[in-house]
Amino acid sequence: QVQLLESGGGFVQPGGSLRLSCGASGTDFNFNRMGWFRQPPGKERELVATLTRGGNTAYADTVKGRFTISRDNSKNTVSLQMNSLKPEDTAVYYCNGFIYGVDYWGKGTLVTVSS
């Protein structure tokens, strides 16, 4: 069974940084695309950043210049470096892996940005 497990969430003050990490287990898939989505309180899940196996990235406009996605294809891991965090970045962050037309999701990790 494919599982994605996130780590690195927590509480941070505005302007601070956090790094999220996600690893895959139960599979030898090399996901075509891995990424991060988030769901702010009371809102729909939204794209944060994705990175294909070939190195193409996509970022939400709201995080461009502040967040950086990276992955290690050999280890099937993906990370998200989040800098200059804002209160509006508060959300549950979900790791995503996509292959063979199927999306796989982690259970999420909470990021809270508050003074």
Side-chain angles (χ1 to χ4, degrees):
Q1 183 178 1
V2 178
Q3 289 188 318
L4 297 176
L5 182 62
E6 304 97 338
S7 63
F11 180 92
V12 64
Q13 293 186 334
S17 298
L18 281 176
R19 184 176 180 86
L20 305 182
S21 297
C22 173
S25 62
T27 178
D28 58 359
F29 291 163
N30 194 343
F31 292 102
N32 289 342
R33 185 193 70 218
M34 297 190 78
W36 295 90
F37 290 70
R38 67 185 181 187
Q39 187 165 13
K43 297 185 179 180
E44 299 290 317
R45 190 175 299 189
E46 61 187 23
L47 167 75
V48 177
T50 60
L51 177 54
T52 68
R53 193 167 52 199
N56 293 316
T57 58
Y59 290 93
D61 288 342
T62 53
V63 307
K64 283 180 180 177
R66 300 188 297 123
F67 291 10
T68 303
I69 189 170
S70 59
R71 66 183 285 184
D72 185 331
N73 290 332
S74 65
K75 297 180 179 179
N76 236 359
T77 59
V78 63
S79 297
L80 185 70
Q81 178 65 42
M82 305 186 294
N83 298 328
S84 302
L85 283 160
K86 303 176 181 180
E88 51 264 43
D89 294 317
T90 294
V92 177
Y93 285 71
Y94 296 91
C95 177
N96 169 265
F98 177 83
I99 191 167
Y100 303 134
V102 178
D103 277 300
Y104 296 89
W105 297 95
K107 293 184 178 181
T109 185
L110 177 63
V111 172
T112 303
V113 185
S114 176
S115 55

